[in-house]
Every structure is written in C-alpha cells, then in structure tokens.
Amino acid sequence: MRAVIETTHGDPERAAQVAAALVPDNTEEMATTVDGRTVRTEIDRESTGGLHATVDDYVVNCAVADRLTKTQS
C-alpha cells in the first residue's frame, strides 16, 4: 500500500521548515522531499490499516507544523 501526500505552503522557506518539522517522525517506510513551496511525502505500508494510521498521524503533524510556521512569519 502506498500514499503520496503533497501540501503547498506560502514560500519555499516555509515549506522547508514544515518538512524539517515532519522528517524526525518519518519511519524507514516514509520519504519527505521539498520542491519549492511543495512538501511531498511518500508512505509505504504492508497493510491498509497501517497506512491509514500513518497517514492520519502525518496529516495532524503537518497541520501543526504549518500552523507553527505561520506564527513565526
């Protein structure tokens, strides 16, 4: 099972900050990259349930990271 999540942020610096906040929580089955204003994370899991749980956690973490970078701008 694989999910690809792309989020767009205000500018490249902010996208890099969001990605930097997310990477420490990545497992071996996750890869996060930045391209301009876009953060892209690929998640691979053996099961649908595992993928669902990981995506759910990731989305919450991404929302928090995005909010925190907004308050710093």
Side-chain angles (χ1 to χ4, degrees), residues 7 17-26 30 32 39 41 58 61-63 65:
T7 54
Q17 291 172 340
V18 170
L22 294 170
V23 167
D25 288 331
N26 282 4
M30 298 171 71
T32 299
V39 176
T41 300
Y58 176 87
N61 292 343
C62 187

Side-chain angles (χ1 to χ4, degrees), residues 5-73:
I5 302 169
E6 290 186 350
T7 54
T8 304
H9 305 275
D11 57 55
E13 181 181 347
R14 190 160 150 222
Q17 291 172 340
V18 170
L22 294 170
V23 167
D25 288 331
N26 282 4
T27 64
E28 290 182 15
E29 297 87 5
M30 298 171 71
T32 299
T33 57
V34 179
D35 182 13
R37 298 180 323 136
T38 302
V39 176
R40 176 186 168 100
T41 300
E42 294 184 30
I43 304 168
D44 290 304
R45 286 288 185 260
E46 296 274 329
S47 69
T48 303
L51 182 63
H52 179 268
T54 302
V55 168
D56 186 54
D57 288 345
Y58 176 87
V59 169
V60 170
N61 292 343
C62 187
V64 170
D66 185 62
R67 269 187 251 128
L68 290 174
T69 60
K70 280 183 186 177
T71 60
Q72 294 175 4
S73 298

